[in-house]
Structures are given as structure tokens and as C-alpha cells.
């Protein structure tokens, strides 16, 4: 009887472990209302753990030319958002994708976009260029176009659905 209970316990544990990994958060979700209001009203609310602090500093220092748009904020809001981004940047996070992002960076390089991050380039290298450039995606920087739970900080392979293609299999 003890062996049967042990087998059942292990079986249930394996099932739950699979579910746990499937829904594991890869980067800390955005939890700052001011950041959501000021930044996510124009684009996806990129989690601070997707970039190192040097990148966030560069982005916030250049809001007057924010990827071709003027995204300037009043000084007080800009200071608060920058503090949030720096406190939660990739090198200060314990989430697995943030750690991998930080470990892929070269010393002294200021990455000005997600698309320049070596870890993210490596993760997306097998995706044909035409699938990235199609109008439904447009760029690797449009995370939520393919990562269906990106807003929750979940970037697992199981949640990838590329428009006009479907699931990407390795």
C-alpha cells in the first residue's frame, strides 16, 4: 500500500511540476501605475527586467527622441519612472530571463533597444526574417505580437504563437 501511495504521490508531483513550469513568470510583471499610464499608453509596457539599468538610463535621458517620437515627461514623473526602471532592471532581478539577459551583456556597451540584447537575439535567431517583418509583428521589440502572456512577464516557448504561422517548434 505504501508503494502505491508513493507512486501516486510522484505521479501527481510530476503533473503539477509541468503546470508550474508552464506558468512560471520569466520577468517581473510591471507593477507601477505611473509607468503604465505614461509608457504603456503608447506601447507595450516592457518589464524593467528586460533591460539593464544603463539602457533604461539612456532611454529616459532621450525621451525627446524616443524611437522617432517626442515622449517627454514632466521632470517629476520622469524621475519617478526612472527610479522604478533602475530598481527593477535586469541586473537587479532574480527572475530567470532577466538573469540570462544580464549574463549575455558585454561590459561597457549601452544597449538602446531590446533588439540589441544578445540573449534575446539568440532566442529569436531561428525565426525566419519574413515572419518578424510581417505587418502583424513588425519587429522583435513587439513582444506581445507572439508572446501571448508577455504582459504577465511570461515568455515561455509554449506561449509563442507567431501570426500567420502558428506555434514555433525547435
Amino acid at each position: 500500500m505504501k508503494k502505491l501511495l508513493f507512486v501516486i504521490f510522484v505521479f501527481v508531483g510530476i503533473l503539477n511540476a509541468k503546470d508550474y513550469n508552464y506558468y512560471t513568470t520569466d520577468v517581473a510583471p510591471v507593477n507601477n501605475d505611473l509607468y503604465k499610464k505614461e509608457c504603456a499608453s503608447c506601447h507595450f509596457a516592457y518589464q524593467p527586467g528586460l533591460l539593464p539599468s544603463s539602457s533604461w538610463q539612456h532611454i529616459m535621458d532621450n525621451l525627446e527622441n524616443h524611437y522617432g517620437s517626442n515622449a517627454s515627461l514632466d521632470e517629476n514623473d520622469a524621475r519617478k519612472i526612472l527610479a522604478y526602471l533602475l530598481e527593477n532592471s535586469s541586473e537587479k532581478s532574480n527572475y530567470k530571463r532577466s538573469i540570462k539577459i544580464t549574463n549575455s551583456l558585454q561590459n561597457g556597451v549601452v544597449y538602446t533597444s531590446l533588439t540589441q540584447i544578445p540573449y534575446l537575439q539568440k532566442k529569436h535567431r531561428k525565426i525566419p526574417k519574413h515572419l518578424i517583418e510581417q505587418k502583424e509583428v513588425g519587429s522583435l521589440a513587439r513582444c506581445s505580437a507572439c508572446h501571448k502572456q508577455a504582459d504577465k512577464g511570461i515568455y515561455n516557448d509554449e506561449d509563442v504563437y507567431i501570426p500567420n504561422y502558428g506555434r514555433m517548434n525547435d
Side-chain angles (χ1 to χ4, degrees):
M1 182 68 173
K2 286 183 180 179
K3 287 182 181 180
L4 178 61
L5 287 174
F6 178 76
V7 169
I8 291 170
F9 179 75
V10 170
F11 181 73
V12 170
I14 289 170
L15 290 177
N16 286 335
K18 182 182 177 197
D19 288 343
Y20 176 78
N21 288 334
Y22 182 76
Y23 293 108
T24 300
T25 303
D26 298 295
V27 294
V30 171
N31 62 0
N32 181 290
D33 290 337
L34 181 60
Y35 175 72
K36 287 178 186 175
K37 176 186 165 216
E38 295 295 344
C39 302
S41 62
C42 295
H43 57 71
F44 175 71
Y46 298 101
Q47 290 89 7
L50 292 173
L51 287 172
S53 58
S54 60
S55 297
W56 289 120
Q57 183 72 56
H58 172 82
I59 290 168
M60 293 301 291
D61 286 348
N62 293 285
L63 287 177
E64 70 282 348
N65 187 16
H66 188 66
Y67 306 102
S69 297
N70 183 347
S72 298
L73 300 169
D74 77 52
E75 191 174 315
N76 192 38
D77 286 351
R79 188 172 28 80
K80 288 177 182 175
I81 290 172
L82 177 60
Y84 167 69
L85 295 170
L86 296 179
E87 289 169 10
N88 296 283
S89 59
S90 67
E91 70 269 36
K92 295 183 181 156
S93 174
N94 291 322
Y95 284 78
K96 67 181 180 183
R97 300 271 184 214
S98 296
I99 292 169
K100 289 179 179 182
I101 286 168
T102 299
N103 290 339
S104 76
L105 304 175
Q106 293 180 9
N107 287 333
V109 175
V110 176
Y111 299 91
T112 60
S113 164
L114 286 172
T115 61
Q116 298 172 342
I117 301 295
Y119 171 74
L120 298 176
Q121 289 177 341
K122 181 179 174 186
K123 286 296 291 179
H124 295 89
R125 72 183 183 283
K126 293 181 183 176
I127 301 172
K129 194 173 184 177
H130 74 277
L131 292 176
I132 296 168
E133 294 176 347
Q134 65 174 314
K135 70 177 181 178
E136 290 84 356
V137 179
S139 164
L140 288 180
R142 293 200 52 227
C143 305
S144 60
C146 301
H147 294 274
K148 298 305 172 194
Q149 296 196 69
D151 61 326
K152 298 174 185 164
I154 298 172
Y155 292 89
N156 293 331
D157 292 343
E158 294 81 8
D159 287 322
V160 173
Y161 186 87
I162 301 172
N164 301 314
Y165 181 79
R167 297 175 75 62
M168 192 76 183
N169 297 320
D170 283 333

